Amino acid sequence: MITIVFSLFLLTMLVIVAVGILRTDNLFTAVMLSGIFSLIMAANFFILDAADVALTEAVIGAGISTVLFLGALALTAEYDRSPPVGTWVPLLTSSALGGVIIFATLQAPRLGDPNAVVHKHVAPWYLDRTPELIDVPNVVTAVLASFRGYDTLGEVFVVFIACIGVMSLLGRVRPRRDSIEEDEFDKRTDNLRHHLIPRVVGKMLVPFIVLFGLYVQFHGDFGPGGGFQAGALIAAGVILYSLLEGGPRGRELVPEWFSSLLVALGAFTYTCVGVVSMAMGGRFLDYSVLSHDPVHGQHMGILIIEAGVGMTVTGVMITIFHAFSRRGIR
Amino acid sequence: MAVLGLYNYFIFAVLLMIGLYCILARTNIIKSLIGLTIFQGAVFLLYISTDKIDGGTAPIIQEGVENQIFANPLPQVLILTAIVVGISTTALALAVTVRIKEAYGTIEEDKIQEMDREL
Amino acid sequence: MEWVYFGTSIAILVTMVLAVVRGLIGPTIFDRVLAVNMFGTKTVLFLAVISFLSGRPDFLDLALAYALINFIGVLAVLLFFQSRGVRRDAEAEREADK
Amino acid sequence: MDLLLDIASAILLLTGGFFVFVGGFGVMRMPEFFTRMHAASLTDTGGAALILLGLMLQGGLTLVPFKLAAIFLFLFLTSPTASYALANAALLSGVSTACRNETGAPLPENEVDSADSKPASKSVAKTSASRTSGRKTTAKQAAEQAAPKAAARKASKKAAKKPAGKAAKKPARKAAKKAAGKPAGKKS
């Protein structure tokens, strides 16, 4: 009941904000509103009992997405100058799609129906067998890292390839002098060094953000968290530092070779665990053989591959941010 | 009550419509991308809506609590990774947009097509 | 206690609605940024209250993550406007070159 | 003892909720950007502190109160920082401060700044028909709507000096637009 009340509030707000995004012709406004959109989305995920997803959306939406979009806006344009073309074709298409979907959902099981098909299929098996086979409290982590480890490997490689794409599109401009004199810094506008309050508070928070990222990384077996969220959090810490001190300083803190190395190393670690478990007589990504005790082997495997995921995501987010910020100062 | 139980799906449909309309009707590339993120969000919402179960809680087993009902972990796993993949692919698209701006001087699709035709 | 949590979260939700309205009507872009920032803080509180309402206070990690990184967006906005003047000058120069 | 704790945290939570709501209300009703920011940032710390304190009392002797304390500490640090950054960004791009006296009434020469924001929706017009936000509606529109009480009084005052004001309106508006970097009225 309470869930439904909150959902009504949040979902209606979601639609209103989406309409607002659609109607504005100022891209800056659209980016700000999509920040609100992602916040509502995260609260909604939390209400629907998806704590891990809510954490991911929160970290990505608040820490990374806005910064990336603003970086892109700074490099392109601030206004949407779409001509007022005949809008009835897209209107017709999208309302036809919406009509079909609404018609289809009339037969769907209501929210929270325990007899829905999704709850009868493989999910009970995961929930029943996780304590026995893997023995970590967070079933989401167990499914993510062990039961559906192939999926996650694929996702890690998608992120990896996206990062390569960004690097080949934006990166590797002839590196200008990255070591910049102290007084030259004061003339630049791509940092917040003149703003003492953000600088002091922000730099104070950077270690806490990274520390919390590590907590989320290694506490992921017991609470909401894991490699994906931790990676985004640590990257958010580095991004905060780069915003405060300027791009070059950020690249001194985490050099580009290091973040690219992290990207590759994470994916490599993940694959290696699979290959090692094959070499030790199991199947690909079957961690049970990693140790004499199958459950202990699962623990080890999950720990290592989560670390791999965390490394890759951290590296990807930092590399993407550096690519955009470096482009800005050409 | 029955309609309220389906509210999530209706919102999913409406968000999908808004996102699709934004992609189709606007010629500005960044605006289309923001429409795409709305579209993505709608799909995330659909998946997460299916995991809810009455009287359930997030699928993290608590010590010393018996007979808890847990939400379905599978959609959560899929969407958790999809969010991170989504932001990376959006970043890739933004990178392409930046290159288009550098090459053409605009990010309006119709103007770009005009320029292409002139060549 | 349930009803107290419920009442508090409803108050926060109503505030969120007000923030959304402010974000939609503007009028300046900074009102929208203000709305985003305020919405973020309210989300932190909302998540904290909800985690108590649902009886799983160990989910406070979410609120903590938000409280830590919510203001990065606003700093990015400040940087954006700070460097906008420089960018506009460069654009004008490019136009003049053409 | 438990009952006492419950009562105390209930009081704290509900007061906090009220504070937060008042902040939201202020953000809706305040006449211009900097006053709105004032409303938001005050309650960000005040209301949040009360709510988190109320929750802390319920946490018991676990990790929970420490996490809440950490949340409070970080909010306490980041929220004013964000406000600072926002105010600075607004100043950099020249958002004008419309009201300078303590009644909140706009000074005459500043009225034109916002004169082009038309009352888009009825709700806006309704909420703004009061002492502080008569500036939301132009003199003419306000007079037409016969907005109640104070707004009407102000409108009549405005209407009296309309001819002079109208001539000066256009260039001033353009300048305001340029300064704000974006036509303010468009969506409001």
Side-chain angles (χ1 to χ4, degrees):
Chain A
M1 186 58 216
I2 286 174
T3 312
I4 288 185
V5 174
F6 288 154
S7 289
L8 277 179
F9 255 104
L10 289 171
L11 292 173
T12 314
M13 263 197 272
L14 208 56
V15 170
I16 293 171
V17 172
V19 172
I21 295 174
L22 183 64
R23 283 178 55 90
T24 178
D25 64 344
N26 186 337
L27 290 175
F28 185 87
T29 305
V31 171
M32 285 299 121
L33 288 178
S34 65
I36 294 187
F37 186 86
S38 128
L39 283 164
I40 301 175
M41 209 55 146
N44 204 21
F45 288 156
F46 191 58
I47 296 218
L48 293 170
D49 290 339
D52 287 87
V53 186
L55 184 57
T56 319
E57 176 76 36
V59 175
I60 295 279
I64 300 196
S65 159
T66 311
V67 178
L68 267 189
F69 266 106
L70 284 183
L73 281 195
L75 292 173
T76 52
E78 272 172 56
Y79 287 100
D80 172 11
R81 305 205 192 281
S82 299
V85 287
T87 51
W88 62 271
V89 176
L91 196 65
L92 212 67
T93 319
S94 48
S95 25
L97 176 77
V100 168
I101 290 169
I102 288 181
F103 180 71
T105 52
L106 288 178
Q107 301 295 323
R110 68 177 173 81
L111 183 72
D113 188 354
N115 295 318
V117 185
V118 259
H119 299 309
K120 297 283 169 200
H121 188 50
V122 70
W125 190 88
Y126 284 146
L127 288 167
D128 286 346
R129 302 298 293 275
T130 296
E132 170 196 334
L133 290 177
I134 298 181
D135 195 29
V136 295
N138 190 346
V139 183
V140 175
T141 302
V143 177
L144 179 97
S146 183
F147 289 128
R148 299 189 72 89
Y150 281 28
D151 266 17
T152 313
L153 181 66
E155 310 272 16
V156 166
F157 270 96
V158 172
V159 174
F160 177 72
I161 291 166
C163 175
I164 293 176
V166 173
M167 274 163 81
S168 54
L169 281 166
L170 293 185
R172 301 297 154 212
V173 199
R174 179 126 309 275
R176 284 157 48 118
R177 276 179 314 133
D178 251 10
S179 54
I180 290 171
E181 302 295 322
E182 203 53 32
D183 55 333
E184 200 184 325
F185 253 119
D186 292 342
K187 294 186 200 111
R188 299 169 69 94
T189 52
D190 69 335
N191 59 51
L192 298 173
R193 288 165 61 87
H194 289 297
H195 300 281
L196 213 55
I197 298 173
R199 200 175 159 206
V200 170
V201 174
K203 278 173 86 170
M204 202 163 72
L205 283 180
V206 169
F208 284 106
I209 294 177
V210 175
L211 188 68
F212 187 66
L214 290 174
Y215 165 78
V216 166
Q217 166 85 51
F218 292 110
H219 195 255
D221 297 355
F222 309 100
F228 285 101
Q229 294 94 328
L233 257 170
I234 297 173
V238 176
I239 287 175
L240 174 59
Y241 183 84
S242 304
L243 287 178
L244 293 169
E245 292 288 321
R249 282 288 170 82
R251 285 192 289 277
E252 270 171 30
L253 179 73
V254 181
E256 274 173 296
W257 64 264
F258 184 70
S259 54
S260 332
L261 184 71
L262 271 184
V263 177
L265 204 62
F268 182 69
T269 313
Y270 200 145
T271 324
C272 268
V273 173
V275 174
V276 167
S277 57
M278 272 169 88
M280 293 176 79
R283 298 198 184 125
F284 188 65
L285 289 177
D286 178 11
Y287 317 131
S288 307
V289 293
L290 289 178
S291 174
H292 50 88
D293 177 26
V295 173
H296 190 238
Q298 290 283 351
H299 281 183
M300 258 174 66
I302 289 178
L303 193 72
I304 298 171
I305 71 126
E306 285 278 11
V309 170
M311 276 195 266
T312 301
V313 174
T314 313
V316 167
M317 297 299 161
I318 295 175
T319 310
I320 290 173
F321 175 76
H322 279 339
F324 276 92
S325 82
R326 183 196 269 285
R327 202 73 174 184
I329 57 161
R330 277 202 317 159
Chain B
M1 259 341 259
V3 178
L4 280 185
L6 293 177
Y7 195 65
N8 280 45
Y9 302 122
F10 295 155
I11 296 294
F12 157 71
V14 172
L15 285 180
L16 217 57
M17 278 163 66
I18 295 172
L20 189 65
Y21 181 80
C22 197
I23 297 168
L24 293 177
R26 308 311 286 255
T27 55
N28 186 295
I29 297 178
I30 290 194
K31 194 61 180 290
S32 300
L33 278 179
I34 295 175
L36 196 63
T37 56
I38 296 179
F39 198 90
Q40 258 181 357
V43 177
F44 297 165
L45 180 68
L46 174 72
Y47 269 71
I48 296 299
S49 300
T50 58
D51 84 347
K52 175 79 185 164
I53 190 163
D54 284 338
T57 175
I60 295 169
I61 299 165
Q62 280 177 305
E63 267 178 59
V65 187
E66 293 290 315
N67 291 330
Q68 269 184 314
I69 309 171
F70 291 113
N72 193 338
L74 192 55
Q76 300 191 13
V77 171
L78 299 179
I79 295 311
L80 194 157
T81 49
I83 290 174
V84 178
V85 169
I87 188 70
S88 330
T89 45
T90 307
L92 184 62
L94 287 174
V96 174
T97 315
V98 169
R99 289 304 293 265
I100 287 177
K101 166 79 176 181
E102 282 170 6
Y104 289 86
T106 178
I107 52 166
E108 305 288 339
E109 280 166 20
D110 50 339
K111 281 182 193 141
I112 293 167
Q113 278 175 351
E114 246 169 55
M115 285 181 189
D116 277 348
R117 248 175 260 133
E118 278 169 17
L119 284 177
Chain C
M1 279 313 281
E2 300 265 289
W3 284 103
V4 176
Y5 293 142
F6 188 66
T8 315
S9 46
I10 287 291
I12 299 171
L13 268 179
V14 171
T15 316
M16 281 169 151
V17 174
L18 292 174
V20 165
V21 173
R22 180 46 78 196
L24 287 174
I25 64 175
T28 65
I29 34 183
F30 298 103
D31 287 297
R32 300 175 207 275
V33 185
L34 174 69
V36 176
N37 188 34
M38 188 179 152
F39 201 94
T41 341
K42 296 306 166 290
T43 315
V44 173
L45 296 178
F46 184 69
L47 292 180
V49 176
I50 290 293
S51 63
F52 272 83
L53 182 60
S54 62
R56 303 285 302 258
D58 44 332
F59 290 162
L60 281 172
D61 289 0
L62 272 105
L64 193 54
Y66 248 5
L68 273 170
I69 60 177
N70 183 34
F71 78 129
I72 295 182
V74 183
L75 289 189
V77 168
L78 173 58
L79 194 60
F80 181 80
F81 281 101
Q82 186 181 286
S83 55
R84 187 162 79 166
V86 180
R87 245 180 6 253
R88 289 214 164 145
D89 290 348
E91 244 167 56
E93 240 171 61
R94 225 174 293 146
E95 291 289 310
D97 284 349
K98 275 182 196 168
Chain D
M1 194 56 206
D2 267 4
L3 187 70
L4 260 173
L5 266 186
D6 273 6
I7 291 173
S9 74
I11 291 172
L12 283 172
L13 277 172
L14 291 178
T15 339
F18 176 72
F19 266 51
V20 164
F21 172 71
V22 167
F25 194 67
V27 168
M28 266 322 289
R29 286 293 305 275
M30 284 291 185
E32 48 99 39
F33 171 69
F34 289 100
T35 46
R36 279 179 213 134
M37 218 179 68
H38 164 78
S41 55
L42 259 188
T43 53
D44 260 7
T45 37
L50 286 173
I51 287 182
L52 292 176
L53 205 65
L55 291 179
M56 248 184 256
L57 293 183
Q58 290 291 316
L61 283 175
T62 50
L63 198 60
V64 171
F66 289 99
K67 278 186 187 168
L68 285 165
I71 293 175
F72 173 64
L73 181 71
F74 292 136
L75 271 187
F76 199 74
L77 287 173
T78 57
S79 167
T81 313
S83 296
Y84 167 86
L86 187 52
N88 225 304
L91 273 178
L92 274 178
S93 39
V95 171
S96 64
T97 51
C99 53
R100 298 216 182 103
N101 56 10
E102 57 265 26
T103 60
L107 295 179
E109 71 267 27
N110 282 320
E111 278 173 19
V112 287
D113 280 350
S114 56
D116 58 341
S117 61
K118 51 183 184 285
S121 63
K122 266 171 199 143
S123 67
V124 177
K126 216 186 282 169
T127 51
S128 65
S130 75
R131 173 179 65 95
T132 49
S133 36
R135 57 182 274 279
K136 275 228 148 245
T137 52
T138 63
K140 204 171 129 207
Q141 280 159 333
E144 271 170 7
Q145 286 175 352
K149 292 167 206 145
R153 194 181 67 225
K154 188 170 288 161
S156 64
K157 236 196 285 178
K158 272 189 202 165
K161 60 187 175 194
K162 203 175 78 187
K166 206 171 185 181
K169 219 168 244 178
K170 273 233 160 123
R173 190 197 296 175
K174 254 181 201 155
K177 267 185 196 174
K178 219 176 240 169
K182 147 94 185 116
K186 179 84 211 258
K187 271 261 307 144
S188 58

